[in-house]
Amino acid sequence: RAPPPPPAPAPIDACGNLLIPPFIDPHVHLDAVLSVACLTRPNQSGTLLEAIDIWNEWQAGLTEDILLENAREVMKWYIANGVLFVRTHADCTDPSLLTVRALAKLREEMRGIVDIQITAFPQNGVFTTPDGTLQIQKAIELGVDVVGGAPHIEYTREDGVREIEYVFDLAEKHGLLIDVHCDETGDPQSRFSEVMAKECINRGMQGLATASHTTAMHNYNNDYAFKLIGLLKKAEMNMIVNPFDNAVLQNRLDGYPRKRGITRADELTAAGVNVCIGHDSIMDPWYAMGKGSMSAAANLLAHIGHLNGHSQMALLMDMVTKNSARALRIDDKYGIEVGKPANFVIIDAKDEAETIRLLPECLYVVRNGKVISETTPAKRKVTAFGATEWVDFRH
């Protein structure tokens, strides 16, 4: 006799609230999260380059136990915030490749709960690092999912171009995706995203490459930016904006008036380029705040990216859900459709605009049909105008 079917899960009353597929963080550094409390020194200048120096100092004493303890804690934060898909960068310039090995272990631990992609990230550049080419190859042998880069860190423009070509060679050879920290500077002469687009087109690798940050694009002259955006569209590039970090790291040398350190998300989106939002850092040398909330990241981009128009609220939600799924190439298993896994989030809000405005809790987070997180929102009782009422900020 066949065994009886398992009992059906208890029904969930969504009470008219918004139901969406899980949030996605397409760009984070899980090897550095929560390190801010134990760094060798604080980032006094608040700049990207000082943060890299601090990371290199602190990394000398980093252990697998420390890394995993911090990363596991952040994974709980992600789950509570409805984030069930993550792409992390792992610094592969350390000869021991400790970060790659530890994050590969975390990926296995989280399998079936949070899907993690690992990017081999040469934090200090490929050709500026002794045996940098060997290091990234070893990371690939350890089973990373994505090949990364940082061409603007190289000593010269020529080495930056050579790094991108090398990254594409590796990805093509091993059948991996590409995600490069690209033009993460305020320098308008940093123009490596065009090199990535050229390689995508010439190699027939459209849709397989992602350029993260591209903050220099903010400072390009408009004629060049117009040409570049058309090239990115032709290459089917994915672009990841990281508003938390880049709002505080970029253009610190401007004086006043001070430009915004954010790429042209509005113009890219209007041209049909796939734009996503990443959290990037959570309490590390680059950004000492954050709690793994992708709706908070979207809220910040709405402000500093001039994306607060009525129709743009839904667009911002796409950037932390389906656009990121496209960049991670997980469309086959992502989304609320018949035949796909029962992964979804019920948010304490009526629609996308209210989610961006209120930054509400995720009432239920469901993975493969099972509730893995429940949150009870705060209740606020206010006595005023001769009456006592409950306040929930909805209108």
Side-chain angles (χ1 to χ4, degrees):
R1 299 170 63 181
I12 296 173
D13 185 354
C15 299
N17 287 304
L18 180 65
L19 186 148
I20 64 167
F23 287 109
I24 299 173
D25 187 354
H27 186 113
V28 70
H29 295 259
L30 288 175
D31 51 5
V33 294
L34 307 189
S35 60
V36 70
C38 51
L39 295 172
T40 55
R41 57 188 171 92
N43 188 343
Q44 298 288 5
S45 69
T47 61
L48 173 68
L49 294 179
E50 183 176 357
I52 292 173
D53 288 342
I54 294 169
W55 165 252
N56 288 332
E57 293 168 8
W58 183 73
Q59 190 181 29
L62 180 63
T63 67
E64 182 179 282
D65 288 343
I66 293 173
L67 189 157
L68 285 174
E69 180 181 359
N70 291 341
R72 287 168 182 146
E73 182 65 21
V74 165
M75 297 313 295
K76 298 175 200 172
W77 297 6
Y78 272 141
I79 294 168
N81 282 313
V83 179
L84 300 186
F85 298 89
V86 172
R87 175 181 286 175
T88 181
H89 294 258
D91 183 4
C92 62
T93 56
D94 172 20
S96 73
L97 291 174
L98 179 149
T99 57
V100 178
R101 298 176 193 277
L103 292 178
K105 182 178 292 188
L106 180 71
R107 180 179 58 188
E108 291 307 308
E109 290 179 4
M110 298 306 300
R111 194 173 296 279
I113 304 173
V114 178
D115 287 6
I116 299 175
Q117 290 183 0
I118 301 173
T119 304
F121 172 48
Q123 173 77 63
N124 299 316
V126 172
F127 299 113
T128 60
T129 302
D131 295 323
T133 56
L134 181 60
Q135 287 293 109
I136 200 167
Q137 290 178 38
K138 287 181 177 179
I140 290 172
E141 292 170 4
L142 289 172
V144 299
D145 308 281
V146 188
V147 185
H152 54 282
I153 298 295
E154 300 289 353
Y155 291 143
T156 65
R157 158 81 183 180
E158 291 74 19
D159 278 351
V161 172
R162 188 159 63 108
E163 180 190 295
I164 290 176
E165 293 170 347
Y166 181 67
V167 165
F168 271 81
D169 287 343
L170 289 174
E172 200 169 25
K173 177 180 178 180
H174 297 281
L176 300 174
L177 298 175
I178 295 167
D179 191 339
V180 172
H181 283 58
C182 194
D183 301 319
E184 191 184 2
T185 173
D187 179 8
Q189 300 306 312
S190 183
R191 299 185 173 188
F192 295 108
S193 52
E194 68 177 9
V195 183
M196 289 187 66
K198 181 201 76 170
E199 293 298 322
C200 283
I201 295 167
N202 290 349
R203 297 173 187 248
M205 296 177 69
Q206 288 89 339
L208 300 179
T210 297
S212 291
H213 297 288
T214 62
T215 54
M217 195 184 302
H218 185 96
N219 298 344
Y220 294 159
N221 72 71
N222 291 323
D223 284 337
Y224 174 67
F226 178 80
K227 173 193 172 185
L228 174 63
I229 290 172
L231 188 63
L232 296 170
K233 168 66 174 171
K234 184 176 181 180
E236 299 178 25
M237 291 269 291
N238 305 295
M239 313 298 289
I240 297 180
V241 187
N242 296 296
F244 285 130
D245 286 46
N246 292 135
V248 297
L249 291 173
Q250 304 306 318
N251 294 97
R252 296 188 74 98
L253 304 179
D254 276 2
Y256 287 93
R258 182 169 291 158
K259 296 181 285 293
R260 297 163 186 251
I262 298 294
T263 196
R264 302 183 183 216
D266 52 351
E267 293 182 359
L268 287 161
T269 300
V273 178
N274 188 47
V275 178
C276 320
I277 299 174
H279 202 300
D280 197 9
S281 297
I282 302 176
M283 300 181 68
D284 67 17
W286 292 270
Y287 183 70
M289 296 174 276
K291 65 173 189 177
S293 168
M294 298 312 298
S295 56
N299 176 285
L300 180 56
L301 185 60
H303 289 82
I304 61 177
H306 290 159
L307 287 165
N308 62 316
H310 178 73
S311 63
Q312 292 171 322
M313 293 298 183
L315 178 63
L316 286 163
M317 287 293 285
D318 287 345
M319 292 182 185
V320 291
T321 54
K322 69 177 186 179
N323 289 15
S324 291
R326 178 177 166 188
L328 270 59
R329 308 284 285 190
I330 57 171
D331 300 82
D332 59 328
K333 59 181 179 181
Y334 183 84
I336 301 171
E337 299 175 27
V338 174
K340 290 186 176 180
N343 303 326
F344 60 88
V345 178
I346 299 174
I347 298 173
D348 189 26
K350 67 181 180 181
D351 57 26
E352 291 88 347
E354 196 167 83
T355 300
I356 301 299
R357 178 176 71 88
L358 295 179
L359 306 183
E361 302 290 351
C362 295
L363 301 175
Y364 296 94
V365 180
V366 177
R367 177 73 197 233
N368 294 325
K370 296 181 179 179
V371 175
I372 60 172
S373 178
E374 296 181 56
T375 301
T376 302
K379 292 186 176 183
R380 309 165 191 88
K381 186 188 292 185
V382 174
T383 300
F385 308 111
T388 299
E389 300 178 72
W390 294 102
V391 174
D392 60 8
F393 304 115
R394 296 191 184 190
H395 182 65

